[in-house]
Amino acid sequence: MLAPAKSPGLPAAHATSLAGTALSLQALRVALAPHAGKPLVFEYDGRTVQSGYHMTEVKSGWFASLDCGANPENWRETIIQLWDVPEADRAHMPVATFLAIIGKVTSELDFDPDARLTFEVSDGVSAMQLFSAVSVEEADSAVRVSLGNLPSSCKPRDRWLKNEDSPKASRCCS
């Protein structure tokens, strides 16, 4: 795994992200920057994207919701859509191309660099699956980004488990 020390200027808040939790778009960009000439390979659901994969869309959104405990939630999110298709004549996208696309998008649209980063991945036949980037490592002359599953959760329960000692913590759906 690429260590935070190899990414100069990486904010401390992202140092743990490189150790296993979800990366923001900015943390991913910083981790990829030193490897511009290498192929970029995404791994998800126990497989590797095919060499013809295509980044079909990059979205930025602001979301507002009420969780099952009637607590308001809001967050910014960046969503990168990957189309995992084979193309015999193409190699995996170079890191530099990925970074150039992201650079163009962030210069044209309002993006929060520290927003939650979600990947939507589909092979064009199966339904899209949602993932987060959990690690970046250099291996076999390529840069590999591991995408982890995004399971659903109950936010009040998650807060309660995190703060079990707090008498005001709400378990769920109250």
Side-chain angles (χ1 to χ4, degrees):
M1 190 179 315
L2 296 177
K6 293 182 183 176
S7 301
L10 185 65
H14 296 298
T16 53
S17 294
L18 288 171
T21 58
L23 296 166
S24 69
L25 181 60
Q26 181 61 20
L28 180 61
R29 290 171 80 180
V30 168
L32 293 176
H35 308 284
K38 296 180 178 138
L40 179 58
V41 179
F42 291 94
E43 297 173 338
Y44 70 98
D45 211 20
R47 58 196 251 194
T48 300
V49 293
Q50 299 177 75
S51 60
Y53 83 89
H54 184 69
M55 187 166 37
T56 59
E57 190 171 37
V58 181
K59 304 177 251 192
S60 175
W62 182 83
F63 295 88
S65 70
L66 282 179
D67 66 25
C68 61
N71 301 298
E73 301 281 342
N74 63 69
W75 67 94
R76 293 289 309 248
E77 190 164 349
T78 299
I79 302 166
I80 297 175
Q81 192 174 94
L82 299 177
W83 189 33
D84 184 12
V85 295
E87 192 169 311
D89 296 350
R90 287 177 54 180
H92 284 92
M93 177 186 299
V95 168
T97 301
F98 178 87
L99 292 174
I101 292 168
I102 295 300
K104 173 71 172 165
V105 171
T106 58
S107 73
E108 299 275 332
L109 302 174
D110 179 29
F111 273 79
D112 176 353
D114 296 314
R116 178 182 352 194
L117 177 59
T118 299
F119 284 84
E120 298 175 335
V121 183
S122 175
D123 60 6
V125 176
S126 303
M128 274 193 278
Q129 294 178 281
L130 301 178
F131 299 94
S132 62
V134 294
S135 69
V136 178
E137 47 184 85
E138 184 180 1
D140 305 323
S141 302
V143 176
R144 297 183 176 278
V145 176
S146 294
L147 303 179
N149 291 320
L150 283 174
S152 61
S153 69
C154 171
K155 291 176 184 160
R157 179 186 170 278
D158 295 345
R159 281 190 293 273
W160 176 76
L161 289 171
K162 186 177 179 183
N163 303 311
E164 266 188 283
D165 297 333
S166 171
K168 293 184 177 185
S170 171
R171 263 188 179 210
C172 181
C173 309
S174 56

